[in-house]
Amino acid sequence: MEYSSVSCRVLREHFGINAKENQKVIALAGNPNVGKSTVFNALTGLRQHTGNWPGKTVDNAQGVFTYKNNFFLMVDLPGTYSILARTVEEEIARDFICFGQPDVTIVVLDATSLERNLNLALQVMEITSRVVVCVNLIDEAKKKNISIDYAGLEQELGVPVVPTAARGGIGLEDLKEEVYQVALGFKKVQPRKTRYSPEIEEALAALIPKIQDLGWGQFLNPRWVALRFLEGDEKLIDNIVRHLSLRTGQSMNSEVEIAL
Amino acid sequence: MSNTIIGHNLLSELKREAQKKRLAGENFFADKIVNDIFANAEDIVRKNVVRKDKQINWSQKADNVLTSKITGYPIMLLTLGVILWITISGANVPSAILADVLFRFQDVLTGIFMYLGAPDWLHGVLILGSYRSLAWVVSVMLPPMAIFFPLFTLLEDLGYLPRVSFNLDHIFKKARACGKQSLTMCMGFGCNAAGVISCRIIDSPRERLIAILTNNFVPCNGRFPILIAIGMIFGAGALASHLQSAAVAGIITGMILIGIAVTFIVSWALSRTLLKGETSSMVLELPPYRRPKILAVLYRSFIDRTIFVLRRAVLVALPAGAITWLVSNVYVGEMSILAHTANFLDPVALAIGLDGFILLAFILGLPANEIVFPILIMSYLSSGYMIELDSLADLQILLVSNGWTWLTALCTMLFCVLHWPCATTLLTALKETGSKKWSFLAFLIPTGMAFLVCFIVAQSARLLGLAP
């Protein structure tokens, strides 16, 4: 456990994120124009630091907040519709969630168009289980006569769902509480598995055991890796190998050894 | 060490197996995965969200019709046809009035020059050259632009254009290009240089290059009047007058469709040769339908587009008119410089269904396509046929007396849609790609296509004995 926290730090530094020992790292993902920045500002206030992602011309904002005497470092990911890495922004968001191993990833959704927004949440939930879904703009949704069953949504998704109206400061305390619960492992999350068409599921079933043989299992969700293999995302696969070698070679070898 | 090697073996074996499965799935896995994720999201929303939102329902219904696989395409085609029809039938009368006024003023100017006893060459350069091409550009271009641009901006404001892009996405995918390319094409209708700049919205560099290289195949505003004028002269003669506008709109819609078809073909070919690669999916947010702000639309289309394009055309037309007059009136031996050059070009031009003067006009029109037609008319006029040109009927007499047939008209329109981009567009392509090689291709591909298509059309028409 201690070992993995050291390796996490190496990986995060690679993204220009220098979290202190006692800080929990929170990633903030969401579609463009869903009030992600409002949530970010509301939680971190003026304790922010802005710059660029290393080697990219994409803005990067980090901020800190404390809750119940715990320290959190929040990383604002670029606003994207998906994280299938079709654009530089999507690649940054995906790589950070995947390799930066945040303690919690908050996915901000627009309550007035959940259908489109949920797609991002489902994609994030395939990479990491430690997700808190924040349904923002509930005031707008109310105006538009959209009623959402938050408890049902939470049950369906298997991760905490917090309704917020960040502009009016509504629901932000609940959001912090859920983040705290998940980050410190008080609340167990069990994200819903996205169901695919039979031919995809079949191909996944054949690939997953072999991916588990590679020994990436502790670090990455084999199902998600198998999906990327099926898409033929060679760049990501190479990226995984490169990032894994950033951890000390010893652990990689021992994992392969165990697998063999 | 050995462990790592075994790990690598496992990895490459896995890659091979995944590839096999991918090929077995005919490479549609990536698409299917995205679709399945959306299906999951839809399912969750259906269970947990109740919408009583009238506006959303209304726009959803509109989307179902406008982006349906069955009705989507016919509606797009119809919209395009109707816009062109309104443009053509609406532009007719003001065009004639403007021409009448401007050419009458030419007589006044000529009178003043005569009264002052100005030398013939000065009158030629300033009045017969500069002023006349200016009058042509204004009277032929201004009315269609003033109608077409507001209509187009209106569609943009309504939120229809993103739906067009959505409809066309799967054809572009087949060509392994980006669906957003259709938006850059829409921009190209206004101005190809603007279209090339708008290619920045495409994220993948490969797909962006394809969009830049093919943008020229949508006729920009500078080329539209050529199509409209030729279409009116040759397309509508045979029909009853109230059907004429519709027939011309049909012809021009056809020309645009040919340009779009060539866009697909060239994109398809590029992504299998020079720019190999798989297509990337895109997420396109369909914005809500909005009631267009009429005043803002009028302002934007008038100031930003009409006046801007017209200004550029006038600035180019003035010197170009003077130069054309000079080269067509300075004689070397028996013929003017212009006629010499046209004669020189004749063999090539005739092979592709044009004549030397037409090809020369397109070459001289490199700075701006707007002046191609005025140059052409001027070079015909200076070669002996002096006619008072105040109506399209007179124009037809002029063209026919210079040997135009329906094939010349067709090939000129095709050449107009397909030929090289104007200098501004080429410079923009150079700026956007940062590469001389790609900018040269942006010139070479359309040029090649124009010659190829016109050659095939002209030769087959002649072989079949349909035209002399």
Side-chain angles (χ1 to χ4, degrees), chain A residues 81 86-87 112 115-116 144-147 149 152 192 194-195 197 199 210 229-230 232 238 257, chain B residues 3-4 6 14-15 17 22 32 36 40 42 44 47-53 203 281 285:
Chain A
Y81 292 109
R86 259 85 202 223
T87 65
T112 63
E115 217 159 291
R116 162 158 54 79
K144 289 189 171 173
N145 262 327
I146 300 169
S147 46
D149 176 4
R192 162 203 166 100
T194 300
R195 283 182 288 271
S197 317
E199 57 268 48
K210 297 203 168 123
F229 266 104
L230 282 183
D238 295 343
E257 219 166 309
Chain B
N3 284 337
T4 328
I6 294 167
L14 197 59
K15 277 186 184 171
E17 190 177 341
R22 215 166 39 238
K32 212 166 250 168
D36 286 349
N40 276 266
E42 266 174 39
I44 295 169
K47 286 183 199 155
N48 297 295
V49 178
V50 181
R51 278 181 175 274
K52 286 183 201 131
D53 182 352
D203 292 304
S281 340
E285 187 174 355

Side-chain angles (χ1 to χ4, degrees), chain A residues 83-86 94 196 207 224-234 236, chain B residues 18 22 27 29-31 33-34 37 278 281:
Chain A
I83 42 168
L84 296 168
R86 259 85 202 223
R94 183 203 61 193
Y196 290 97
L207 286 183
W224 180 73
V225 177
L227 283 164
R228 303 293 81 82
F229 266 104
L230 282 183
E231 279 182 347
D233 192 345
E234 300 264 330
L236 172 73
Chain B
R22 215 166 39 238
N27 256 332
F29 277 1
D31 267 358
I33 288 172
V34 176
I37 296 174
E278 287 304 313
S281 340

Side-chain angles (χ1 to χ4, degrees), chain B residues 234-293:
Chain B
F234 282 89
L239 289 167
S241 64
H242 63 278
L243 283 175
Q244 283 190 359
S245 308
V248 177
I251 289 172
I252 294 166
T253 310
M255 283 296 145
I256 290 170
L257 289 183
I258 289 171
I260 293 173
V262 171
T263 304
F264 285 129
I265 294 166
V266 172
S267 305
W268 184 90
L270 278 174
S271 50
R272 276 162 185 80
T273 51
L274 287 176
L275 291 162
K276 269 194 191 130
E278 287 304 313
T279 177
S280 63
S281 340
M282 59 150 185
V283 175
L284 183 73
E285 187 174 355
L286 293 181
Y289 294 97
R290 284 192 196 89
R291 186 196 308 262
K293 298 186 186 77

Side-chain angles (χ1 to χ4, degrees), chain A residues 66-105:
Chain A
T66 47
Y67 182 74
K68 294 194 175 164
N69 294 323
N70 283 280
F71 300 99
F72 296 90
L73 173 71
M74 197 150 165
V75 181
D76 193 11
L77 300 177
T80 57
Y81 292 109
S82 84
I83 42 168
L84 296 168
R86 259 85 202 223
T87 65
V88 185
E89 286 83 2
E90 289 186 17
E91 194 179 324
I92 289 171
R94 183 203 61 193
D95 283 0
F96 187 74
I97 297 170
C98 174
F99 304 120
Q101 304 263 297
D103 295 290
V104 174
T105 302

Side-chain angles (χ1 to χ4, degrees), chain B residues 102-123:
Chain B
L102 289 171
F103 286 114
R104 205 168 284 169
F105 189 62
Q106 184 191 324
D107 296 341
V108 175
L109 284 176
T110 302
I112 296 174
F113 269 68
M114 302 258 265
Y115 176 76
L116 293 175
D120 266 0
W121 65 267
L122 190 65
H123 173 251

Side-chain angles (χ1 to χ4, degrees), chain A residues 18 25 32 72 88 105 111 113 124 133 168 189 204 213 225 244 246 253:
Chain A
N18 298 304
V25 174
F72 296 90
V88 185
T105 302
S113 57
V124 173
V133 166
V189 280
L204 285 178
D213 286 350
V225 177
L244 282 177
L246 279 178
N253 281 353

Side-chain angles (χ1 to χ4, degrees), chain B residues 347-368:
Chain B
V348 182
L350 286 173
I352 56 171
L354 311 178
D355 67 28
F357 286 107
I358 306 174
L359 190 55
L360 184 60
F362 277 118
I363 293 172
L364 291 175
L366 181 71

Side-chain angles (χ1 to χ4, degrees), chain A residues 43 49 53 60 69-70 85 106 118 155 168 201-202 213 215:
Chain A
L43 289 188
H49 165 82
W53 290 90
N60 163 325
N69 294 323
N70 283 280
I106 302 175
L118 265 176
Q155 203 171 11
E201 288 289 354
E202 221 167 88
D213 286 350

